[in-house]
Structures are given as C-alpha cells and as structure tokens.
Amino acid sequence: MTYHLAYMNLRGRGEPVRWVLKALDVSFTEERIDVLTQWLSRKNEFEWGQTPVLMVDGVQLHQTTTICRYLGEKHHLASTDLWNATRQQEVVEAFHDVSFDFSLAFTARIKQDETLKNNSLEKARKRLLEIVLILESRITDQGWVLSHDMTWVDVFLAAYLESYSAYFPEILEGVSKTQALMECVMALPVIKAWLKIRPHWSSLEDPQNFL
Ligand SMILES: N[C@@H](CCC(=O)N[C@@H](CS)C(=O)NCC(=O)O)C(=O)O
C-alpha cells in the first residue's frame, strides 16, 4: 500500500492528515502545491478539484475527514464501537467545519476584503468557543474522545486545536482535558519530531500577520 499526499503549501486542512499519517507511522510522500502560483494550473488533475487528496496505491481519495477516518480504520487506530465512532465523528465534523470560515478569511485577505476577513474570523472564534465545550465533555478519564485509548480522532482534533489556538489561544482556556489531549498528541515522538521540522506557516496563513 502506497500513500501520497497532495496538498497546498499550507497547514490548513492538510495538517490533520499529516498528523494522522505520522501517528500511524506509515510511510508516505507529500507534494506541496503553491496555492498562488501552481494551484490553478493543477486543479484539473484532481477528480473533485480540491485538496487534500491522498493517493492510495495511485487512486485519489478526497475529503479531509474521509481520508483520516479511512487511515484510522485501516491501521486500527479507531474505535470499534459503531456508536462511539459515530459520536466521535460528530466532533470531528464540527471542528472541520470551522476550517471553512478560516478559508473564507484567507481568501478575503487575498482580495483585501477586511470586513469579510474579520467577520469570518470572528465566526470561527465564536464557534470554536462553543464546540470546545462539547469536546471537553466527551473526553474520557483516560484522556481521549469517547475512548479508553487514543484513536485517529484525537490526533485529528489535536492538529486542528494546535492550529486554531495559534489564532485564538482563548479556546483552550478552562478546558483542561482538551488542552491535555492536545499536549499528549503533541508529545508523541513522531509528532514532536514533525513539529521541529515542518515548514513555517505560509505567509498567507501565519497568525502573526493575519489577525
Ligand atoms: N470538503 C473538502 C474541502 C476541501 C477544500 O476546500 N480544499 C481547499 C484547500 S484547503 C481547496 O482545494 N481549494 C481550492 C479550490 O477549491 O479550488 C475537504 O474537507 O477536504
């Protein structure tokens, strides 16, 4: 089985996929497509015209959460209880939905539409403050989302939490289980190693010059 990830030169929706691939310790190659200079000429190569795309033995698999769930289940880093897995997926989708507001904000920034940028970011911030409370209530005493053991869902959420909290650190205030979950995933040797070598934020999404 070969894995090849195609994504933009961004963290964005690619980072959860990268973290899940790393946590599974499977080998994969990655290409980073420059969103400003390469994307438009490459878009047609992708069946659904979007990334991230995971090439699985040369076949394209689209949709961030679908890719991560497939990887988690395939490599046994997943809940085997259908109801728990489904309730975990609720949390996954809620956090993934917020990426839409961030992408709106990025596009608005490129188009120099400050109003849309600020409105989208504020929508993301408010939503995150709500959904982090639901996440907190679903973390078990063992520290994972609706599970005794770590699953791909924890890795996926930790990746988004780490990115989102770089914009809005307040989303981790008062939610100690959520913060601990993120830190436990970040302490995995493979993730720790990735955090040391991964490319810096693209200037497009860097929280330092974004907000
Ligand atoms: N629902 C899709 C959304 C994918 C998406 O919008 N990807 C963006 C990059 S983060 C993209 O490819 N945008 C370029 C385009 O739509 O032309 C997913 O979860 O993967």
Side-chain angles (χ1 to χ4, degrees), residues 167-187:
Y167 296 87
F168 306 119
E170 63 268 36
I171 65 168
L172 293 176
E173 281 168 18
V175 283
S176 54
K177 286 178 166 186
T178 299
Q179 177 141 14
L181 179 150
M182 182 186 83
E183 284 166 4
C184 283
V185 172
M186 288 169 70

Side-chain angles (χ1 to χ4, degrees), residues 7-8 10 13 39 43 49-52 62-65 96:
Y7 189 61
M8 315 288 192
L10 302 170
R13 292 178 173 111
W39 173 245
K43 186 175 167 78
Q50 290 184 327
T51 62
H62 285 248
Q63 299 296 341
T64 313
T65 61
H96 183 57

